[in-house]
């Protein structure tokens, strides 16, 4: 089956760096995604990893270790607008490229 | 930039009624999806659709649910007899279909069943 674990909540200070961890188990791994979701809105794509290593995209970086079933999202130079839920999601190819989402980590950025 | 659109943005219905949620995926995309998110809970996969047929569905997607692509642009989710627990945000998504591709989500339809 599939299982995705990430912390429920985190708090960080404006300007700081925060790392959100994610562990997963899946049978047909086809990539790991991070999405940002503000309350009442759709998830918006942040990053995609399919090979081991670090992907950097501006203030956001994402890391993947397939052998450990582990990923993290790194947010630098935190801004108040980064307060949102961050969803770790695994794409599973058992026929339809479906995406399985974790429960999300609610990040609170304080001044 | 092309985007996935969904209508209506909010639908209120009485328990037992049928609802149809509509989506227009991005035009060159080949895979289409419905997800739902109950308030305060995680995004859950419902169904994937490719080549005019369901390619995969979850346990949630029981006989009261159906999907259709009635023409070249629309992708619909029908709930035949709504229950209170069907109240949720329903997101449509699409992707081109290559391995490195990402899903694009629509803005969602908030369904409220009274």
């Amino acid at each position: 089956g599939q299982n995705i674990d990430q912390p429920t909540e985190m708090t960080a200070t404006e300007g700081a760096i925060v790392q959100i961890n994610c562990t997963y188990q899946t049978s047909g791994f086809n990539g790991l995604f991070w999405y940002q979701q503000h309350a009442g809105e759709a998830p918006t794509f942040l990053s995609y990893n399919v090979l081991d290593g670090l992907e950097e995209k501006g203030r956001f970086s994402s890391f993947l270790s397939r052998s450990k079933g582990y990923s993290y999202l790194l947010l630098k130079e935190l801004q108040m607008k980064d307060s949102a839920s961050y969803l770790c999601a695994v794409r599973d190819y058992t026929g339809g490229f479906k995406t399985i989402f974790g429960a999300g980590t609610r990040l609170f950025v304080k001044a | 930039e092309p985007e996935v659109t969904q209508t209506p943005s909010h639908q209120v219905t009485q328990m037992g009624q049928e609802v149809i949620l509509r989506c227009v995926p991005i035009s060159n995309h080949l895979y289409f999806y419905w997800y739902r998110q109950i308030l305060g809970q995680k995004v859950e996969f419902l169904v994937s659709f490719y080549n005019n047929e369901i390619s995969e569905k979850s346990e949630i997607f029981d006989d009261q649910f159906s999907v259709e692509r009635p023409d070249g642009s629309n992708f619909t989710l029908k709930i035949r007899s709504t229950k209170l627990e069907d109240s949720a945000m329903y997101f449509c998504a699409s992707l081109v279909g290559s391995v490195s591709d990402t899903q694009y989500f629509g803005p969602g339809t908030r369904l409220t069943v009274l």
Side-chain angles (χ1 to χ4, degrees):
Chain A
Q2 296 114 351
N3 193 46
I4 300 174
D5 288 312
Q6 53 183 129
T8 306
E9 283 186 5
M10 298 182 73
T11 301
T13 305
E14 195 176 16
I17 299 172
V18 70
Q19 177 174 314
I20 303 174
N21 296 321
C22 171
T23 58
Y24 67 89
Q25 292 174 307
T26 186
S27 51
F29 181 80
N30 193 250
L32 188 137
F33 295 81
W34 285 95
Y35 288 87
Q36 182 191 62
Q37 187 179 32
H38 286 99
E41 297 182 9
T44 54
F45 170 76
L46 290 178
S47 70
Y48 167 73
N49 295 70
V50 68
L51 299 175
D52 291 351
L54 188 69
E55 293 284 339
E56 296 187 78
K57 209 176 188 183
R59 294 190 299 116
F60 298 89
S61 304
S62 57
F63 172 83
L64 175 67
S65 169
R66 288 172 296 169
S67 62
K68 295 180 180 175
Y70 168 71
S71 173
Y72 67 73
L73 179 70
L74 197 70
L75 293 81
K76 303 174 190 173
E77 300 168 17
L78 280 173
Q79 302 173 10
M80 300 296 285
K81 68 177 182 179
D82 296 328
S83 293
S85 286
Y86 291 85
L87 315 182
C88 177
V90 174
R91 186 155 68 194
D92 179 281
Y93 183 65
T94 51
F97 288 119
K98 72 182 181 193
T99 301
I100 304 300
F101 286 82
T105 298
R106 288 190 68 189
L107 175 66
F108 299 94
V109 180
K110 58 181 184 179
Chain B
E1 185 176 325
E3 57 183 22
V4 178
T5 59
Q6 290 184 242
T7 54
S9 57
H10 192 184
Q11 173 98 44
V12 181
T13 190
Q14 296 290 327
M15 190 170 56
Q17 295 296 304
E18 175 183 285
V19 294
I20 297 176
L21 310 183
R22 291 183 167 80
C23 169
V24 178
I26 296 173
S27 61
N28 64 332
H29 285 192
L30 301 177
Y31 286 82
F32 313 114
Y33 303 83
W34 284 101
Y35 293 86
R36 80 171 185 190
Q37 187 174 31
I38 295 170
L39 185 64
Q41 298 187 22
K42 66 179 180 181
V43 177
E44 299 174 290
F45 167 77
L46 291 179
V47 65
S48 60
F49 193 86
Y50 171 72
N51 200 26
N52 286 318
E53 60 182 23
I54 290 174
S55 50
E56 194 168 2
K57 59 183 181 180
S58 71
E59 294 171 353
I60 303 167
F61 195 88
D62 61 22
D63 292 344
Q64 71 160 341
F65 291 93
S66 63
V67 289
E68 201 176 38
R69 189 156 161 82
D71 52 43
S73 59
N74 290 286
F75 179 52
T76 62
L77 175 69
K78 181 191 291 185
I79 310 175
R80 288 192 185 82
S81 178
T82 50
K83 304 173 193 155
L84 295 176
E85 55 264 36
D86 293 328
S87 295
M89 282 286 280
Y90 288 81
F91 295 109
C92 174
S94 68
L95 81 161
V96 171
S98 64
V99 171
S100 61
D101 191 35
T102 185
Q103 280 182 339
Y104 291 86
F105 281 81
T109 293
R110 180 173 296 284
L111 177 64
T112 302
V113 182
L114 303 176

